[in-house]
Amino acid sequence: MNYQEIFEKISDELKDFEQIGQVAAYIPALAKANPNSFGMYLVTEEGHEYAHGDTDTPFSIQSISKVLSLVYAFKLVGTDLWKRVGVEPSGSPFNSLVQLEYEQGIPRNPLINAGAIVICDILLSHLNEPYDNFIAFVRELAGNSGIDYSSKTAESEKACGFKNNAHINLMKSFGNIENDVEEVLDFYFHLCSIEMSCKDLAQTFMFLARSGKNPLNGKQVLSARETKRINAIMLLCGFYDEAGEFAFKVGLPGKSGVGGGIVAIYPDQYSIAVWSPGLNSKGNSSKGIKALEIFTTITQSNVFGPSPIFDELEYE
Ligand code: GLU
């Protein structure tokens, strides 16, 4: 497969893409992103790598970090995790409070804000040096010791994190938060603030395409069985209330963030990251989703089965 040529074709196809969307202005630090940035990076099972566009520029991964914190917590506490957070798609926006009250402070899944906040609480309870331990984990997956939190972004989000404050206080009232709410939220905002490039992101998620094994050092991060569960959660919950649409059009487990990044994996084949900061009304990268839709259509790689392309416009 000539992936480089496919990237060129996608970029060409989307060069006049009009529904580029709006950058996430509700976090002041993210409002400065350039909506015209665009990058795609692919890492394959054989270890080949393909890049197009802005693939070395670090950006705020935001909610994409929720998968990494989930993986870390799953490693630490195993299936006990599911007593504190569910695995059902929410069908509501990433920061919706409504379900949380009905469901007695147990978030629907670990990839919406409330769920990720509970995961942060679990990490704080189990790690001696949570900030250092977590970033070391991410750096090892990415093979990049330069990856870091952005205190500036974390502070910026903290200054207007009223909704996340509401989430954590509601969960605390139901007994689903063990630690001090300020400490948990601070950790959550830092996890969201981590900056990575498309290249780092595709590399970081490669273990989920390889039955849990980090291809860079051969270490088993999760068992194959556990990996399958994380991928299932990404497929069902990785795109807020657009998870169904993403499965329908792209057909891969993945995760997006309001920084405009998306990462998706095709088991036993590849990990792919795209970045375009303009978001659609559901908070997902508008151009990023379109690019992945075209990519999986041309390469016939989706978890639901291949379909031959009859003409150029099949993915429309
Ligand atoms: N830090 C963001 C928030 O809590 C993450 C949202 C996202 O990327 O979906 O609102």
Side-chain angles (χ1 to χ4, degrees):
M1 191 90 59
N2 192 336
Y3 288 116
Q4 206 62 53
E5 215 171 84
I6 293 170
F7 276 175
E8 305 296 333
K9 189 174 161 62
I10 294 170
S11 168
D12 223 44
E13 193 83 32
L14 296 179
K15 76 176 176 307
D16 301 318
F17 190 68
E18 277 167 9
Q19 302 96 45
I20 204 149
Q22 304 287 323
V23 300
Y26 79 100
I27 301 175
L30 299 186
K32 296 177 196 135
N34 175 0
N36 297 317
S37 303
F38 179 67
M40 295 188 90
Y41 203 91
L42 178 81
V43 179
T44 69
E45 164 76 9
E46 302 83 33
H48 299 139
E49 304 190 14
Y50 303 87
H52 181 89
D54 306 314
T55 52
D56 290 325
T57 313
F59 59 89
S60 193
I61 66 167
Q62 291 296 316
S63 272
I64 297 174
S65 69
K66 292 179 166 90
V67 178
L68 303 171
S69 48
L70 166 64
V71 168
Y72 205 155
F74 198 23
K75 278 164 70 66
L76 289 170
V77 303
T79 52
D80 276 351
L81 198 62
W82 314 127
K83 293 179 187 151
R84 307 266 315 264
V85 60
V87 295
E88 292 296 337
S90 67
S92 42
F94 62 95
N95 58 2
S96 168
L97 271 166
V98 180
Q99 266 167 354
L100 200 55
E101 181 165 25
Y102 281 129
E103 297 177 357
Q104 313 265 304
I106 305 291
R108 271 277 162 123
N109 68 66
L111 303 185
I112 49 174
N113 287 15
I117 291 170
V118 167
I119 297 286
C120 285
D121 184 51
I122 293 171
L123 292 177
L124 285 186
S125 297
H126 285 83
L127 297 172
N128 291 332
E129 305 284 348
Y131 288 78
D132 289 351
N133 298 155
F134 188 76
I135 205 70
F137 171 66
V138 175
R139 287 173 180 162
E140 185 168 304
L141 289 174
N144 179 353
S145 57
I147 289 173
D148 220 335
Y149 304 107
S150 159
S151 309
K152 226 165 120 197
T153 307
E155 287 305 318
S156 166
E157 182 164 8
K158 188 177 178 179
C160 53
F162 308 111
K163 199 83 176 269
N164 287 321
N165 267 286
H167 275 110
I168 195 165
N169 281 297
L170 189 57
M171 291 191 289
K172 184 91 178 169
S173 76
F174 281 111
N176 199 17
I177 294 290
E178 290 171 355
N179 296 283
D180 174 70
V181 293
E182 284 285 317
E183 274 176 43
V184 180
L185 265 193
D186 216 47
F187 190 44
Y188 170 77
F189 291 139
H190 275 84
L191 263 49
C192 291
S193 80
I194 291 175
E195 295 187 344
M196 283 194 201
S197 64
C198 280
K199 181 180 195 298
D200 296 324
L201 205 49
Q203 189 62 61
T204 299
F205 274 68
M206 197 54 197
F207 76 102
L208 292 172
R210 301 206 56 204
S211 303
K213 191 190 263 190
N214 178 347
L216 298 177
N217 58 14
K219 276 196 207 163
Q220 201 70 40
V221 183
L222 291 177
S223 69
R225 197 152 175 255
E226 291 166 332
T227 305
K228 183 181 70 177
R229 307 232 183 279
I230 302 294
N231 290 344
I233 293 172
M234 286 205 292
L235 184 82
L236 294 170
C237 316
F239 296 83
Y240 322 118
D241 47 340
E242 201 177 9
E245 186 95 356
F246 190 82
F248 191 77
K249 291 190 167 160
V250 178
L252 295 176
K255 182 72 195 93
S256 63
V258 295
I262 301 179
V263 62
I265 60 107
Y266 186 37
D268 296 331
Q269 300 289 330
Y270 64 71
S271 165
I272 186 166
V274 292
W275 175 50
S276 168
L279 308 179
N280 63 20
S281 60
K282 304 286 170 86
N284 296 311
S285 170
S286 188
K287 188 167 168 178
I289 290 192
K290 193 72 193 164
L292 286 173
E293 182 187 345
I294 302 174
F295 182 82
T296 56
T297 304
I298 296 178
T299 56
Q300 296 191 45
S301 52
N302 77 80
V303 295
F304 303 106
S307 60
I309 307 162
F310 296 110
D311 66 54
E312 293 279 306
L313 296 174
E314 175 89 359
Y315 49 78
E316 286 294 338

